[in-house]
Amino acid sequence: MRLGRRRRLVPRHDAPRRHPLHVLGELVRHAGEDGPVRPRRARPAQPPHRPGGVRRELYENRAEFGDEILSHPLDDAYHKARSPVWHRIKVPFLSAANWGGQGLHPRGNFEGFLRAASKDKWLEVHGIEHWTHFYTDYGRNLQLRFFDFYLKGHRNGWDQQPRVQLQIRHVDRFVERHENEWPLARTQWTKLHMNSAFGLSPVAPTSSQSVSFYALGDGLTFLSEPVEKQTEITGPLAAKLFVSSSTRDADLFLVFRVFTPDLREVVFQGAIDPHTPIAQGWLRASHRKLDAELSTPYRPYHSHDELKPLKAGEPVELDIELWPTSIVVPAGYRLALSVRGKDYEWQKSSGARLSNFKNELRGCGPFLHDDPRDRPAAV
């Protein structure tokens, strides 16, 4: 349509009438051609055969993300430029984590809550997939209260909201609980010791012991006696190992597990994988150097600024973080720690898949450490 001289609307006969979505379709089709796009006619401003323009700019800005990560194995300027500067984060925030998001989001959720300079910060942790819990009424209502308070000025009591809201995980349900800090101040930090009989015990061995395993096999699992009473484990975990290898480096995969009295493993629907274990942790031995300022007994923090290769047969001390978790263990159940040289597998085949992931879901979702460029035979 166009405005005629007599200020009345008359139809244009030199162009077809189109719904705006049709124009959008043309804009999308032309966006990859050389030159900027004229929104009015949805055609390239320059003939597509001319050099330069959008196509060249897009091409020159492309990057192979996997290759870039592999070319920066240490925490160098590349990573620092893409990492948060915690003391500069002062805005209010609500950080929502998932117990079953091992290998992805919980790192930023817990780290941000602990280290950001903001005085107005909250941590929420839930289970199951995001879209069946946090993206439905429970999570939506929580977010609306936060945003209404800070963006609309509603006096809705958010300023009285406890700083930590946890969905405490039981073997058959979640129970909501509020806390004032993380880790929980009333935590009873407890040590369990591995022994050569593949036990996990509060009693330390009286002599030096060792066991061996094939790095690409099923590893070793250390199993506790049945717990005598219901026991809650909520918080971060850590393991100290003394390891030697025949190779110049070694990848360690630690899995904290719970078993029923008849030794069936307790797994959960995680953020992605339907058979997610209780907690996991990873460390490449050459990255074992600790950041003395940020490390704690329950949370080793690695600096990743220096490679320390192994010497064949020579033991080294490794402090390995297992990501935060929550589980209420019923009486009669057992705790276990598996030490492996490859990713955890709930079973060899589960049949579980999602259309946008190439691999079968066997306990770790899509977060696997199986790239031969990153894991050569020497590791």
Short mmCIF file of all heavy atoms in Angstrom, two decimals, residues 50 85 104 107-109 115 121 132 138 144 183 185 192 206 266 274 288 291 296-297 300 334 364:
data_model
loop_
_atom_site.label_atom_id
_atom_site.label_comp_id
_atom_site.label_asym_id
_atom_site.label_seq_id
_atom_site.Cartn_x
_atom_site.Cartn_y
_atom_site.Cartn_z
N ARG A 50 30.12 -9.82 -5.99
CA ARG A 50 31.18 -8.90 -5.57
C ARG A 50 31.83 -9.41 -4.29
O ARG A 50 31.17 -9.94 -3.41
CB ARG A 50 30.60 -7.50 -5.33
CG ARG A 50 30.14 -6.83 -6.62
CD ARG A 50 29.72 -5.41 -6.36
NE ARG A 50 30.81 -4.62 -5.82
CZ ARG A 50 30.71 -3.32 -5.54
NH1 ARG A 50 29.56 -2.70 -5.74
NH2 ARG A 50 31.74 -2.67 -5.04
N VAL A 85 35.14 -11.77 36.22
CA VAL A 85 35.98 -11.08 37.20
C VAL A 85 35.10 -10.88 38.43
O VAL A 85 34.28 -9.97 38.49
CB VAL A 85 36.49 -9.73 36.66
CG1 VAL A 85 37.40 -9.05 37.68
CG2 VAL A 85 37.23 -9.93 35.34
N LEU A 104 28.77 -29.24 33.75
CA LEU A 104 28.38 -28.02 33.04
C LEU A 104 28.03 -26.90 34.02
O LEU A 104 28.89 -26.34 34.67
CB LEU A 104 27.22 -28.32 32.09
CG LEU A 104 26.84 -27.21 31.11
CD1 LEU A 104 28.00 -26.85 30.20
CD2 LEU A 104 25.64 -27.62 30.27
N ARG A 107 29.23 -25.60 38.03
CA ARG A 107 30.50 -24.93 38.29
C ARG A 107 30.28 -23.42 38.44
O ARG A 107 30.71 -22.81 39.41
CB ARG A 107 31.48 -25.20 37.13
CG ARG A 107 32.67 -24.28 37.04
CD ARG A 107 33.55 -24.30 38.29
NE ARG A 107 34.32 -25.50 38.39
CZ ARG A 107 34.32 -26.31 39.45
NH1 ARG A 107 33.57 -26.04 40.49
NH2 ARG A 107 35.06 -27.39 39.48
N GLY A 108 29.59 -22.81 37.51
CA GLY A 108 29.36 -21.37 37.58
C GLY A 108 28.37 -20.99 38.67
O GLY A 108 28.49 -19.94 39.30
N ASN A 109 27.36 -21.85 38.91
CA ASN A 109 26.36 -21.54 39.93
C ASN A 109 26.98 -21.40 41.31
O ASN A 109 26.81 -20.38 42.00
CB ASN A 109 25.29 -22.64 39.98
CG ASN A 109 24.48 -22.74 38.71
OD1 ASN A 109 24.39 -23.80 38.12
ND2 ASN A 109 23.88 -21.64 38.29
N ARG A 115 31.86 -16.45 45.22
CA ARG A 115 32.95 -15.51 44.96
C ARG A 115 32.52 -14.14 44.45
O ARG A 115 33.31 -13.19 44.53
CB ARG A 115 33.94 -16.14 43.98
CG ARG A 115 34.59 -17.41 44.53
CD ARG A 115 35.60 -17.98 43.56
NE ARG A 115 36.71 -17.06 43.33
CZ ARG A 115 37.65 -17.24 42.41
NH1 ARG A 115 37.59 -18.30 41.62
NH2 ARG A 115 38.62 -16.37 42.26
N LYS A 121 22.69 -11.76 46.75
CA LYS A 121 22.80 -12.91 45.86
C LYS A 121 22.13 -14.11 46.52
O LYS A 121 22.16 -14.28 47.74
CB LYS A 121 24.26 -13.21 45.53
CG LYS A 121 25.18 -13.35 46.75
CD LYS A 121 26.64 -13.49 46.32
CE LYS A 121 27.56 -13.57 47.54
NZ LYS A 121 28.98 -13.68 47.14
N THR A 132 11.35 -29.73 33.54
CA THR A 132 10.26 -30.31 34.32
C THR A 132 10.21 -29.77 35.74
O THR A 132 9.35 -30.16 36.52
CB THR A 132 10.37 -31.85 34.39
OG1 THR A 132 11.62 -32.20 34.98
CG2 THR A 132 10.26 -32.46 33.02
N TYR A 138 7.22 -23.87 39.65
CA TYR A 138 8.14 -23.70 40.77
C TYR A 138 9.21 -22.66 40.45
O TYR A 138 9.42 -21.68 41.18
CB TYR A 138 8.78 -25.04 41.13
CG TYR A 138 10.04 -24.92 41.97
CD1 TYR A 138 9.96 -24.70 43.34
CD2 TYR A 138 11.30 -25.02 41.38
CE1 TYR A 138 11.12 -24.59 44.11
CE2 TYR A 138 12.46 -24.92 42.14
CZ TYR A 138 12.36 -24.70 43.50
OH TYR A 138 13.51 -24.58 44.25
N LEU A 144 9.90 -14.74 39.15
CA LEU A 144 9.02 -13.57 39.14
C LEU A 144 9.15 -12.77 40.42
O LEU A 144 9.16 -11.53 40.39
CB LEU A 144 7.57 -14.00 38.92
CG LEU A 144 7.18 -14.37 37.49
CD1 LEU A 144 5.75 -14.89 37.44
CD2 LEU A 144 7.33 -13.16 36.56
N PRO A 183 29.05 -23.61 51.76
CA PRO A 183 28.50 -24.86 52.28
C PRO A 183 27.76 -24.65 53.60
O PRO A 183 27.94 -23.62 54.26
CB PRO A 183 29.75 -25.73 52.48
CG PRO A 183 30.82 -25.10 51.66
CD PRO A 183 30.52 -23.65 51.66
N ALA A 185 26.81 -24.43 57.30
CA ALA A 185 27.68 -24.20 58.45
C ALA A 185 27.69 -25.38 59.41
O ALA A 185 28.68 -25.61 60.11
CB ALA A 185 27.23 -22.93 59.17
N LEU A 192 36.52 -40.76 54.87
CA LEU A 192 36.43 -42.19 54.63
C LEU A 192 37.71 -42.60 53.91
O LEU A 192 38.21 -41.88 53.05
CB LEU A 192 35.21 -42.53 53.77
CG LEU A 192 33.84 -42.22 54.39
CD1 LEU A 192 32.73 -42.51 53.40
CD2 LEU A 192 33.63 -43.01 55.67
N THR A 206 46.36 -49.28 58.67
CA THR A 206 47.52 -49.16 59.57
C THR A 206 48.84 -49.28 58.83
O THR A 206 49.90 -49.06 59.41
CB THR A 206 47.45 -50.24 60.66
OG1 THR A 206 47.38 -51.53 60.03
CG2 THR A 206 46.21 -50.03 61.52
N VAL A 266 21.93 -46.50 42.89
CA VAL A 266 20.93 -45.43 42.91
C VAL A 266 21.39 -44.35 41.93
O VAL A 266 22.44 -43.73 42.12
CB VAL A 266 20.78 -44.83 44.32
CG1 VAL A 266 19.80 -43.66 44.30
CG2 VAL A 266 20.30 -45.90 45.30
N PRO A 274 19.27 -39.67 31.96
CA PRO A 274 18.32 -40.32 32.87
C PRO A 274 18.96 -41.23 33.91
O PRO A 274 18.27 -41.73 34.79
CB PRO A 274 17.43 -41.13 31.92
CG PRO A 274 18.29 -41.41 30.74
CD PRO A 274 19.18 -40.21 30.58
N ARG A 288 47.80 -31.05 38.53
CA ARG A 288 47.55 -31.25 39.95
C ARG A 288 47.94 -30.07 40.83
O ARG A 288 47.60 -30.04 42.02
CB ARG A 288 48.27 -32.50 40.45
CG ARG A 288 49.79 -32.44 40.33
CD ARG A 288 50.40 -33.79 40.69
NE ARG A 288 51.86 -33.81 40.54
CZ ARG A 288 52.48 -34.07 39.41
NH1 ARG A 288 51.79 -34.29 38.29
NH2 ARG A 288 53.81 -34.10 39.36
N ASP A 291 45.90 -24.09 43.83
CA ASP A 291 45.91 -22.67 44.16
C ASP A 291 45.79 -22.59 45.68
O ASP A 291 44.72 -22.88 46.24
CB ASP A 291 44.73 -21.97 43.48
CG ASP A 291 44.74 -20.46 43.70
OD1 ASP A 291 44.91 -20.03 44.86
OD2 ASP A 291 44.56 -19.71 42.72
N THR A 296 40.52 -25.39 49.73
CA THR A 296 40.14 -25.76 51.10
C THR A 296 40.21 -27.28 51.19
O THR A 296 40.27 -27.97 50.15
CB THR A 296 38.71 -25.29 51.43
OG1 THR A 296 37.79 -25.99 50.58
CG2 THR A 296 38.55 -23.79 51.22
N PRO A 297 40.20 -27.86 52.39
CA PRO A 297 40.25 -29.32 52.50
C PRO A 297 39.10 -30.01 51.78
O PRO A 297 39.26 -31.12 51.27
CB PRO A 297 40.19 -29.56 54.01
CG PRO A 297 40.74 -28.31 54.61
CD PRO A 297 40.29 -27.20 53.72
N PRO A 300 39.43 -28.68 46.75
CA PRO A 300 40.71 -28.32 46.12
C PRO A 300 40.46 -27.48 44.87
O PRO A 300 39.55 -27.77 44.10
CB PRO A 300 41.33 -29.67 45.78
CG PRO A 300 40.17 -30.62 45.71
CD PRO A 300 39.15 -30.12 46.68
N ARG A 334 24.63 -48.46 50.99
CA ARG A 334 26.09 -48.36 51.02
C ARG A 334 26.57 -47.19 50.18
O ARG A 334 25.97 -46.84 49.16
CB ARG A 334 26.73 -49.65 50.49
CG ARG A 334 26.45 -50.90 51.32
CD ARG A 334 26.97 -52.12 50.60
NE ARG A 334 26.64 -53.37 51.27
CZ ARG A 334 27.50 -54.11 51.96
NH1 ARG A 334 28.77 -53.71 52.08
NH2 ARG A 334 27.13 -55.23 52.54
N CYS A 364 26.65 -39.86 31.62
CA CYS A 364 27.33 -38.55 31.59
C CYS A 364 26.70 -37.58 30.61
O CYS A 364 27.27 -36.52 30.35
CB CYS A 364 28.81 -38.73 31.25
SG CYS A 364 29.75 -39.62 32.50
#
